[in-house]
Amino acid sequence: MDAPAPPTGYRPDAFPPFAVTVDLIVLTIQDDRLRAVVVERGVDPYAGAWALPGGFVRIDEDLPEAASRELAEETGLTAADVHLEQVASYGRPGRDPRMRVVTIAYLALAAHLPELRPGTDASAARFADVDELLGRPGALAFDHGRLLADGVERARAKLEYSPLATAFCPPEFTVAELRRVYEVVWGVSLDPRNFHRKVTGTPGFLVPTGRSTARQGGRPAALFRVGDTQVLHPPITRRDG
Amino acid sequence: MDAPAPPTGYRPDAFPPFAVTVDLIVLTIQDDRLRAVVVERGVDPYAGAWALPGGFVRIDEDLPEAASRELAEETGLTAADVHLEQVASYGRPGRDPRMRVVTIAYLALAAHLPELRPGTDASAARFADVDELLGRPGALAFDHGRLLADGVERARAKLEYSPLATAFCPPEFTVAELRRVYEVVWGVSLDPRNFHRKVTGTPGFLVPTGRSTARQGGRPAALFRVGDTQVLHPPITRRDG
DNA sequence: ATCATAGTCGTCACACTGACGAGAACAGGG
DNA sequence: CCCTGTTCTCGTCAGTGTGACGACTATGAT
């Protein structure tokens, strides 16, 4: 694609040209493990290595639009299905050997992801265990290890004071399902009784639907929807037993 | 400036060229008011209007470097004197009528700022009252009103759980000076006795220097330095009397 | 019926909080 | 020198949130 038609006052030599991309940290929970979408790169640099999904921002789209589009291309999820928020930007010279590129990282949280289909510049896509990726420096191409770490830390912090954990759950969920989200993302184990008291006692967090689940073995659990509150008072604190 | 020499695999038509800038939200406290540095634009668009200081990222520098450089150019402050952190990025098409530009906003907090000297593309610089700027939509050029609002909200939130408030204070300060920071930034009034108990009781927040200030009228106050802790436990909560 | 499993409610001690009293250490004026 | 005003600092007390843990409830499996 060529440069856009120069509008009034446009001086193409007045600023250094950058490539701008959005990269996605797409998190979900599978088998009680926190997983992230990674794609296998089909072209150099890092051909054959795993990287976060992402791509160039088009000349006529906003940053959140670009993130939504890339998310749909890589996972088939629409913006209505997931929580999507900007995390941070990265622009160290040399982070991409091909060109000068600034990347805006977006965090996407989803309850259940459909089958992954590889994008145009990726030959494969899969879910990778987040702890394993973070424990192995260089597991991801470019500086994507840092992007992933920053995104995961953002998610971990926001569980405390926002209803973000419900983004990992289906529209209706039980307190135990919500607790598993906190336990998996934080990597801790929480007391079911205290957790139940806290989440049901925080005003506006959970709305009972009246229904309950019948599951194999054990008492049926009440089903909840997420409420209106965007900030939890009191918060769900991280240091629990 | 021209595009860099094409390295291997470089395809100049593969991505749309963007301008990348860093803009600064430089906050300080003057006369018990929260103030931000604004510059008067000397060129179109928005010539004569006030805007946040900032400028193009150079082809060979990292984003924090660019923020530090712009900060030094506009205020004379070096990175050692201030707290500097990235806030968010903005890239809506049309936000700058001249070209497609992505801006990374940085938050800078300083105790006492020297005289401001206008940068190359600004004809004047001054401190503006933050509440007044935020209360008047369109007070700032481009989308800088939103940048300022996001930066101020970041600062307000981080006062709760980080020692960020000390960035507004000189190296040695009293509990009352620190309390004034919280009161001014949050726009509330805090009980001096409870505040004293909380900040001195949070481990690692304040380190007594042993010295004290003699000031006009009233008992001398003990002087403190900031401690090592980066996260306050328990936090300094916002809803106080 | 009995057991295993999982969900929900209750109790207790402890920590933190907001509201407020009271003393300590200064400056300035009579 | 004493009094007063000001600011800093320490204490007290009731209300609330929290972690640890006991107890009860409601299902499926045997």
Side-chain angles (χ1 to χ4, degrees):
Chain A
M1 184 184 294
D2 290 330
T8 311
Y10 183 85
R11 295 183 304 161
D13 58 338
F15 63 90
F18 282 71
V20 175
T21 67
V22 291
D23 285 349
L24 294 169
I25 300 132
V26 186
L27 300 181
T28 193
I29 292 179
Q30 290 181 337
D31 305 324
D32 284 347
R33 300 287 297 174
L34 187 61
R35 299 243 152 92
V37 173
V38 291
V39 298
E40 188 178 8
R41 290 186 54 82
V43 298
D44 269 322
Y46 296 101
W50 296 98
L52 296 176
F56 292 115
V57 176
R58 293 183 181 164
I59 201 64
D60 58 348
E61 69 184 352
D62 198 355
L63 304 181
E65 281 180 61
S68 295
R69 176 178 52 77
E70 292 287 344
L71 179 68
E73 291 178 4
E74 302 282 355
T75 67
L77 286 166
T78 70
D81 300 325
V82 300
H83 173 89
L84 195 62
E85 73 175 53
Q86 193 188 102
V87 178
S89 297
Y90 306 83
R92 182 177 55 78
R95 59 183 292 276
D96 187 323
R98 291 170 296 178
M99 67 196 93
R100 191 63 211 280
V101 54
V102 164
T103 288
I104 297 101
Y106 274 80
L107 178 66
L109 306 183
H112 293 298
L113 292 173
E115 285 301 307
L116 296 177
R117 45 167 172 155
T120 54
D121 55 348
S123 51
R126 69 177 181 98
F127 293 101
D129 189 281
V130 165
D131 289 334
E132 189 185 327
L133 287 176
L134 293 180
R136 203 153 39 90
L140 293 177
F142 305 109
D143 51 3
H144 287 187
R146 167 169 289 273
L147 270 67
L148 178 65
D150 291 349
V152 169
E153 180 49 37
R154 167 76 64 93
R156 285 181 175 147
K158 286 198 78 168
L159 288 201
E160 294 201 24
Y161 57 90
S162 83
L164 196 67
T166 59
F168 286 107
C169 296
E172 293 195 357
F173 51 87
T174 67
V175 172
E177 288 169 349
L178 187 65
R179 177 167 50 84
R180 290 304 294 157
V181 171
Y182 278 89
E183 290 180 327
V184 168
V185 175
W186 283 348
V188 299
S189 109
L190 301 173
D191 185 282
R193 298 158 292 188
N194 290 337
F195 183 84
H196 187 276
R197 180 185 58 196
K198 279 163 82 164
V199 296
T200 56
T202 297
F205 188 11
L206 299 185
V207 179
T209 65
R211 275 172 294 185
S212 60
T213 27
R215 192 182 321 239
Q216 56 186 11
R219 173 177 171 175
L223 284 169
F224 293 86
R225 288 182 296 101
V226 65
D228 297 332
T229 306
Q230 294 305 306
V231 181
L232 304 184
H233 274 293
I236 314 298
T237 49
R238 220 148 156 177
R239 301 154 208 293
D240 199 332
Chain B
M1 185 183 296
D2 290 332
T8 309
Y10 184 83
R11 296 184 302 162
D13 58 338
F15 64 91
F18 282 71
V20 174
T21 68
V22 292
D23 284 349
L24 294 168
I25 299 131
V26 185
L27 300 181
T28 193
I29 293 179
Q30 290 181 337
D31 306 323
D32 284 347
R33 299 288 296 172
L34 187 61
R35 299 242 152 90
V37 173
V38 292
V39 297
E40 189 177 7
R41 289 187 54 82
V43 298
D44 270 324
Y46 297 100
W50 296 98
L52 296 177
F56 293 115
V57 177
R58 294 181 181 165
I59 200 65
D60 58 349
E61 69 184 354
D62 198 356
L63 305 181
E65 280 180 62
S68 296
R69 176 178 53 76
E70 292 287 344
L71 179 67
E73 289 177 4
E74 301 282 355
T75 68
L77 286 166
T78 69
D81 300 326
V82 301
H83 173 91
L84 194 64
E85 72 174 55
Q86 193 187 106
V87 178
S89 297
Y90 307 82
R92 184 177 52 79
R95 60 183 292 275
D96 187 323
R98 292 169 296 176
M99 67 196 93
R100 190 65 209 280
V101 54
V102 164
T103 288
I104 297 102
Y106 275 80
L107 177 65
L109 307 183
H112 294 298
L113 291 174
E115 284 302 305
L116 295 178
R117 47 170 172 153
T120 54
D121 55 348
S123 51
R126 70 178 181 95
F127 293 100
D129 189 282
V130 165
D131 289 334
E132 188 185 325
L133 287 177
L134 293 180
R136 203 154 39 90
L140 293 177
F142 305 109
D143 51 3
H144 287 187
R146 166 168 289 273
L147 270 68
L148 177 65
D150 291 349
V152 169
E153 180 48 38
R154 168 75 64 94
R156 284 180 175 148
K158 285 198 76 168
L159 287 202
E160 294 201 25
Y161 58 90
S162 84
L164 196 66
T166 60
F168 287 108
C169 297
E172 292 195 356
F173 52 87
T174 68
V175 172
E177 288 169 350
L178 187 65
R179 177 166 50 84
R180 289 304 294 158
V181 171
Y182 278 90
E183 291 180 327
V184 167
V185 175
W186 284 348
V188 300
S189 109
L190 302 173
D191 185 282
R193 299 159 290 188
N194 291 337
F195 183 83
H196 187 279
R197 179 185 59 197
K198 278 162 82 163
V199 295
T200 56
T202 297
F205 188 12
L206 298 185
V207 178
T209 65
R211 277 172 294 187
S212 61
T213 27
R215 192 182 322 240
Q216 55 186 8
R219 173 176 172 174
L223 284 170
F224 293 86
R225 289 184 293 103
V226 66
D228 296 332
T229 305
Q230 294 306 306
V231 181
L232 304 185
H233 274 292
I236 315 298
T237 48
R238 222 146 156 178
R239 302 156 207 290
D240 200 333

